[in-house]
Amino acid sequence: MTAGQAKPAEPAVADGLQERFDATIARDQRIEPRDWMPEGYRATLIRQIAQHAHSEIIGMQPEGEWITRAPSLRRKAILFAKVQDEAGHGLYLYSAAETLGADRADLTERLIEGRQKYSSIFNYPTLSFADVGVIGWFVDGAAICNQVPLCRSSYGPYARAMVRICKEESFHQRQGYELLMTMMRGTDAQREMVQDAVNRWWWPSLMMFGPPDDNSPNSARSMAWKIKRHSNDELRRRFVDMTVPQAEKLGVTLPDPELRWNEERGHHDFGTPDWDELTRVIQGDGPCNARRVERRRTAHEEGAWVREAALAHAAKQAARTARGAAA
Ligand SMILES: [Fe+2]
Ligand SMILES: [Fe+2]
């Protein structure tokens, strides 16, 4: 283009790209990083994947606090492995966000500045070792309900990351349930610890699925793009139906007087979570929000030398390779 020549007006989207994207979604095929995608789709995915990654990383804290206090070497090894798995999930997910052009350092910055969210559930305290079991059973169980459908999400790297994550989550759920089974076979005091943990975690676990459908503004668009496959309420119902028989087998009571089987619907009826509490926790006013973010910030700052060392090492290696090529 020579100087003075008017720049031709660009069409908003090059011909056929939107149509090709829509057709790929309609055929239930995957969108891959190099494919054209609408900006809204990209932004929605980055937000969802980043929140998911942050949840995995922050989610290491409530249980991580029990590693040094685990009651046996076996329980310590199991808990260590589980918390380490969550770190791995975070890393896959940050990598998936990077395929969309997000910058991991920027995402971490957003998390510790409170500009990006993570799952509300990790803002509750872990008061006894039974909480480790109940988190495995409820929280990893809820994660499975949420994430199994994401294995069919329309964005390739996200869907593929979910396949491995879900396999590990189901191990997490079983280790939690096995721990609770063991405690329920123990003393009265241990059984009371389990029941107390169930009472504290039940409602926050139901809230993990997000606000009710009539108050979840982004859901419809995510479902149309097949990023999300089921609504919040639908997933919550599935979780309740899955968990009630497990509670019976374990011998604990779920703290909801309205919970009962509805023969006609073929599902359980259950009470309404305290949505005001969910709003408060999401907005930063849960029992442990400040502590969780502060801990993450400290870990990030204390890890700066590791990142710097890795970068210096990579630069040295690249220089060595360049020298070798030039010789
Ligand atoms: Fe996880
Ligand atoms: Fe997990």
Side-chain angles (χ1 to χ4, degrees):
M1 195 190 300
T2 53
Q5 206 177 331
K7 202 177 168 212
E10 275 178 7
V13 174
D15 282 347
L17 288 178
Q18 179 75 52
E19 287 72 12
R20 207 177 309 156
F21 172 87
D22 292 342
T24 305
I25 300 279
R27 282 196 306 266
D28 262 341
Q29 288 177 333
R30 297 274 157 76
I31 305 296
E32 296 297 338
R34 290 201 176 88
D35 293 341
W36 179 89
M37 61 188 83
E39 272 317 300
Y41 178 83
R42 184 187 301 277
T44 300
L45 268 171
I46 290 178
R47 198 191 58 231
Q48 181 174 332
I49 297 175
Q51 274 184 23
H52 194 164
H54 298 331
S55 303
E56 301 283 358
I57 298 294
I58 295 279
M60 295 166 72
Q61 291 185 38
E63 288 168 287
E65 289 177 0
W66 282 93
I67 290 175
T68 55
R69 293 177 287 168
S72 69
L73 187 57
R74 178 171 176 264
R75 292 293 168 197
K76 193 193 285 275
I78 294 171
L79 186 54
F80 230 137
K82 197 247 181 193
V83 171
Q84 217 163 26
D85 281 353
E86 307 299 4
H89 299 173
L91 298 189
Y92 303 152
L93 288 162
Y94 284 125
S95 301
E98 282 179 325
T99 67
L100 291 156
D103 174 58
R104 190 171 145 190
D106 173 59
L107 297 180
T108 303
E109 216 42 48
R110 285 169 193 259
L111 169 67
I112 57 189
E113 282 172 7
R115 288 185 287 132
Q116 250 171 4
K117 308 273 184 224
Y118 56 88
S119 177
S120 55
I121 193 80
F122 301 118
N123 292 310
Y124 291 86
T126 40
L127 303 183
S128 80
F129 200 72
D131 289 38
V132 169
V134 171
I135 289 178
W137 177 29
F138 285 171
V139 178
D140 292 274
I144 293 168
C145 287
N146 256 326
Q147 292 173 183
V148 165
L150 291 176
C151 296
R152 295 186 299 119
S153 172
S154 60
Y155 186 58
Y158 191 32
R160 287 188 291 272
M162 278 308 133
V163 174
R164 179 158 172 188
I165 290 179
C166 284
K167 284 187 185 148
E168 294 180 345
E169 299 300 3
S170 70
F171 156 73
H172 296 170
Q173 191 199 21
R174 273 176 280 171
Q175 68 81 33
Y177 197 70
E178 189 267 343
L179 163 58
L180 298 176
M181 277 287 199
T182 308
M183 291 185 77
M184 291 301 283
R185 283 194 300 264
T187 62
D188 283 345
Q190 285 176 308
R191 278 185 284 278
E192 274 165 36
M193 275 165 76
V194 174
Q195 184 61 57
D196 173 63
V198 165
N199 294 348
R200 283 181 290 107
W201 288 92
W202 175 249
W203 291 108
S205 299
L206 292 190
M207 293 176 201
M208 251 183 96
F209 296 91
D213 291 349
D214 52 17
N215 186 25
S216 181
N218 299 322
S219 279
R221 213 162 63 137
S222 284
M223 282 172 73
W225 275 329
K226 296 186 184 168
I227 294 174
K228 205 173 152 169
R229 296 281 181 159
H230 306 282
S231 77
N232 296 352
D233 287 336
E234 209 179 320
L235 292 167
R236 198 171 357 253
R237 253 194 322 269
R238 274 189 196 192
F239 173 75
V240 173
D241 286 340
M242 177 179 93
T243 309
V244 170
Q246 295 170 346
E248 277 163 18
K249 181 129 202 312
L250 192 60
V252 294
T253 317
L254 298 172
D256 178 358
E258 290 176 51
L259 184 65
R260 60 183 59 84
W261 177 250
N262 183 321
E263 192 65 52
E264 245 167 69
R265 294 194 310 113
H267 292 288
H268 290 88
D269 290 332
F270 53 97
T272 309
D274 180 349
W275 299 126
D276 293 339
E277 176 180 324
L278 177 64
T279 308
R280 279 198 308 276
V281 176
I282 288 179
Q283 285 170 353
D285 197 17
C288 300
N289 296 57
R291 194 163 104 205
R292 300 287 184 243
V293 174
E294 196 40 50
R295 180 78 195 89
R296 181 71 195 89
R297 175 194 296 280
T298 309
H300 185 63
E301 286 167 3
E302 288 175 353
W305 70 271
V306 179
R307 293 189 296 278
E308 282 161 22
L311 285 173
H313 179 67
K316 270 189 199 167
Q317 247 182 347
R320 223 174 284 146
T321 310
R323 269 204 308 277

